[in-house]
Amino acid sequence: MRRTTSPAAILGRALARRCPHCGCRQVFRSWLHHREACPSCGLRLDRGEPDFFVGAYTINLIAAELLVVVGGLLVLRLSWPAVPWDALMWGLAGLMVAVPVVLYPYSRQLWLATDLLFRPAESDDFLPLVTDETSCAN
C-alpha cells in the first residue's frame, strides 16, 4: 500500500482537505467531523491511535495564536497612536474563538500528512473498503 509521492504533493493534498495518501476529497463528513477512513484508499485518518489528534491540536493552537498575534500587531501598527483598545481587545477575542474552528480541518490533515511523511503508511494503517460509503470523486 506504499505510494511514492513527493512531500509537496502530500502536503498540498492535506492543505486542500484531501486524503494525503490518495487525494480523495471525501475525507470530511462536515467541517468539524472526519470519516474513520478514506473512502477511496481505506487509510485510517487517525492512524489507529486514540491520541493522534494531539499533533493536530498543537498545529491548530500554534497557527491560531500566531494569526491572532500578527493581526493584533498589524492593527496596533496601522492605528498608532490612536489605538482603539476596546475594539482591538474584542476583535482579538473573537479571533481567538473563530480561528481555531476555521483552521481545524487544515491542521488535522496537515498533521496526518506530516505523520505520513515521517512514518509511511503500512498495511495496518488501512481498513477494508466499505461499499456503502460514498466513493471518492476526485
Side-chain angles (χ1 to χ4, degrees):
M1 288 275 157
R2 188 171 194 177
R3 294 182 183 217
T4 54
T5 307
S6 72
I10 291 172
L11 293 172
R13 288 175 185 162
L15 291 174
R17 296 181 62 228
R18 294 175 174 232
C19 173
H21 189 258
C22 71
C24 178
R25 296 179 188 195
Q26 310 287 327
V27 294
F28 282 90
R29 292 186 192 278
S30 66
W31 191 259
L32 296 176
H33 297 95
H34 62 88
R35 297 181 187 276
E36 182 180 0
C38 173
S40 179
C41 67
L43 178 68
R44 296 167 78 174
L45 298 176
D46 62 0
R47 300 295 301 267
E49 300 173 7
D51 59 351
F52 183 76
F53 70 92
V54 174
Y57 173 80
T58 304
I59 289 175
N60 196 354
L61 179 67
I62 291 169
E65 292 295 327
L66 284 175
L67 284 174
V68 168
V69 167
V70 169
L73 290 175
L74 185 64
V75 169
L76 190 66
R77 174 73 174 115
L78 293 176
S79 63
W80 191 264
V83 179
W85 292 108
D86 286 339
L88 182 64
M89 178 183 66
W90 288 107
L92 292 178
L95 279 177
M96 294 279 296
V97 172
V99 169
V101 174
V102 171
L103 293 181
Y104 172 75
Y106 301 102
S107 64
R108 181 160 184 80
Q109 289 303 96
L110 190 59
W111 179 248
L112 177 59
T114 304
D115 191 45
L116 283 171
L117 289 174
F118 286 100
R119 192 173 51 116
E122 297 179 3
S123 59
D124 293 346
D125 293 320
F126 294 89
L127 291 178
L129 295 177
V130 179
T131 56
D132 64 343
E133 284 281 342
T134 305
S135 63
C136 182
N138 286 329

